[in-house]
Amino acid sequence: MLVLVINCGSSSVKYNLIESSEERDVCKGMIERIGAVTSIVKHEPVGKKHTKDARAISNHTEALQEILDYLLSPENKIINSPSDIKAVGHRVVHGGEMFKDSVLIDEDVENAIEQAFDLAPLHNPPNLRGIKAAQKNLPDVPHVAVFDTAFHHSLPAEAYLYGIPNRFYRRYKIRKYGFHGTSHYYVSRQYYKQIDKPVEDTKVITCHLGNGASLSAVDGGKSIDTSMGFTPLSGLVMGTRSGDIDPSILFYLVEKEELPLQNLHALLNRHSGLLGLSGYAGDMRDLIEEANNGDRRCQQAIDVFCYKIKQYVGSYIASMNGCDAIVFTAGIGENSSLIRKQSLQNMEYMGIEVDEEKNNNIERGKVQKISADSSKTDVYVIPTNEELVIAIDTAKIALAADQSPWV
Ligand code: AMP
């Protein structure tokens, strides 16, 4: 089934056209700077010429129209008619407490996504805008919402409750939700394919290390804890996000720097993390390069990043009373042997040993084991594919709903 996967940000739309039954990418692309004087439009059909150009795209509906026009154009011949697309899958960041699985979008679902605007003010509004724009352009096919939070629905109360008065949970649903769920789900499932053991008996720690970064403890196939929390700000140090800090620092800063409250949001989300620590960059490649040139602060930023991962790995081994495997994924996890090695250094006591040679000789895009033969815990690099999870879920739900016009 041909599924269009859409991921809408406030000024961008990313898309992937996927043949879900064959798990095959057909075309992907991105429109950035929507609403600016010139937007950037990229299309990357598999096995065909990629294009990138600049032109004005004023809103998400126009962006979706541009994507369809491109896919339909006789020159590109990617699809012959809009009806070739049988379903649309939407990445929705926050499903609140309501959604533990992907769902067919109807008015109630749209209202629930809107109700979660408060919980994810940067993500859910553009996600819903994308849903409405795609419905306008493809009105006759099922639209499905796949939530970043859904996989973490299995967290027990002791992992999701914060140590604040319980009425705030009851009143405002302040609790840990966790994010990157589709990625943690996907790589844990790819890991199960490598082993000959019932899923119920496995304990895995999945490390999604990209610009945003989180870890998840997956016990018996279910997420039982994760490092992001009420929002994607907590947990590990990230590109520009602080990760965990002592909340009192905020009161202190408000007083010392006379910072207005609204500036704290930008401080912690956009000016902290690797960027804030190094004063140079939030991008790991740039940091590694500068650290190699002798920059002390860039080296420190890398050290803090890795130390935090190590701490979470240790705590999740304690939470699960063991660990069969640690899985690295996403931009940094898949590509940086240095970060993988440093994050798991000196953990032999816990049975973790990375094999230097295997770690340094990774073939891109493949599932690979990088632990030493003597390591009690396996260590893997597994490329993530969130879009594929969205496409497969979407196809499943579209078929079940029996709404697809070709069924
Ligand atoms: P993502 O958000 O998954 O696209 O990951 C982006 C992050 O991956 C950025 O910090 C990149 O610098 C980092 N990254 C990509 N390739 C490498 C590499 N070869 N070595 C270190 N970091 C990398």
Side-chain angles (χ1 to χ4, degrees), residues 207-213 237-239 274 282-285 287-288 302 305-306 309 328-341 343 359 381:
C207 312
H208 178 109
L209 308 179
N211 223 345
V237 165
M238 298 172 233
L274 295 171
D283 188 285
M284 188 54 87
R285 271 170 300 200
L287 283 182
I288 293 173
I302 294 170
F305 182 83
C306 294
I309 296 167
F328 285 98
T329 195
I332 300 170
E334 289 170 37
N335 295 304
S336 176
S337 54
L338 177 100
I339 301 297
R340 292 191 297 261
K341 175 181 160 190
S343 306
N359 185 36
V381 177

Side-chain angles (χ1 to χ4, degrees), residues 214-233:
S214 68
L215 260 67
S216 182
V218 186
D219 195 348
K222 291 185 178 153
S223 173
I224 60 121
D225 206 349
T226 189
S227 59
M228 283 178 170
F230 178 58
T231 71
L233 181 57

